[in-house]
Amino acid sequence: MSAATLYDYWRSSASYRLRIALNMAEIGYDQIPVDLTKGEHRSPEHLKRNPQGLVPVLEIDGLRLTQSLAILDYLDQTRGLNLLPKDPAARAKAQALAHSIAVDIHPVCNLKVAKFATELSGGREDMPGAWMRQFIRPGLEAFEVLLGGFEQCPYATGDAPGLADICLMPQMYNARRWEVDLSGLDRVLAIEAACAENPAFATAHPAANKPDA
């Protein structure tokens, strides 16, 4: 029997984050897909798991947890993943780096937000891609500058993957999916390459988690 059950969607950025962390912690889990494109997240069954109708939902240690950042914090504290520095000042800076993606870019590029923006645009042919590019590129540019405050050796904030790496990789997947211009983002691209070589990240990638993949 697996140690956890993860309700997720293969392309969900928040779900992708958790798959990385679960792999890093070497926690075996049963994966139950919730297809957002089919509206399964709005089903009565899923709303009982999470009244927000969101993924991921993680059942672990007798708990049912929601919100990826909160779950990552739980896994960090209970499994010793060392996703953030112990020093309060360094921790705040590393957390801000991660949140610049998870809190500022991700919400406006959420699938339901992008769909609504497309509806408001009257179904413009370049939507939702234009919407995604409008927010992802500037966000990654800021992330690139923020990285200047850390030494990449080879990960975002040091020699081991941290919270910022876990938040960055799903956003890079989205950036490439929506053909965002990544030129000039040398630090970001170097981190992406390092993470891609890490098995915990590689096996969490959407391509490896697509149903029937």
Side-chain angles (χ1 to χ4, degrees):
M1 182 177 179
S2 298
T5 299
L6 177 65
Y7 297 88
D8 76 347
Y9 177 62
W10 65 285
R11 267 184 168 159
S12 158
S13 295
S15 297
Y16 188 174
R17 293 173 199 151
L18 279 203
R19 293 195 299 264
I20 295 169
L22 289 167
N23 292 341
M24 287 175 61
E26 299 182 349
I27 298 173
Y29 61 94
D30 294 320
Q31 191 172 9
I32 300 180
V34 179
D35 194 328
L36 305 185
T37 64
K38 295 180 180 178
E40 292 178 359
H41 56 300
R42 296 190 297 270
S43 69
E45 183 179 14
H46 188 69
L47 289 173
K48 287 181 181 178
R49 299 184 199 111
N50 183 356
Q52 289 183 287
L54 301 173
V55 292
V57 175
L58 181 67
E59 294 179 350
I60 190 170
D61 300 341
L63 303 170
R64 177 176 286 169
L65 304 175
T66 62
Q67 289 292 338
S68 67
L69 293 179
I71 302 172
L72 288 170
D73 184 61
Y74 176 81
L75 294 176
D76 192 22
Q77 293 193 55
T78 60
R79 268 60 177 190
L81 296 181
N82 296 315
L83 298 182
L84 291 166
K86 302 301 182 186
D87 174 74
R91 180 183 179 89
K93 291 180 179 179
Q95 201 164 33
L97 180 66
H99 286 189
S100 72
I101 289 178
V103 177
D104 292 326
I105 304 177
H106 175 231
V108 293
C109 294
N110 183 279
L111 180 63
K112 65 181 180 181
V113 173
K115 282 186 173 181
F116 186 60
T118 300
E119 292 174 8
L120 291 177
S121 75
R124 274 175 39 180
E125 290 185 5
D126 60 350
M127 292 288 282
W131 177 268
M132 299 296 193
R133 290 185 287 274
Q134 172 70 25
F135 295 102
I136 294 176
R137 169 72 194 192
L140 290 177
E141 288 176 336
F143 189 84
E144 175 79 12
V145 175
L146 290 169
L147 283 170
F150 303 88
E151 182 180 358
Q152 288 77 61
C153 55
Y155 298 102
T157 59
D159 60 2
L163 185 62
D165 305 282
I166 290 175
C167 291
L168 174 64
M169 288 303 280
Q171 196 58 67
M172 291 301 287
Y173 169 78
N174 290 332
R176 294 189 179 281
R177 179 187 178 193
W178 298 109
E179 300 180 342
V180 173
D181 176 17
L182 299 174
S183 62
L185 304 177
D186 297 338
R187 294 187 183 98
V188 168
L189 292 171
I191 295 166
E192 180 190 33
C195 290
E197 294 296 319
N198 186 312
F201 285 77
T203 55
H205 193 279
N209 289 271
K210 183 178 181 180
D212 302 321

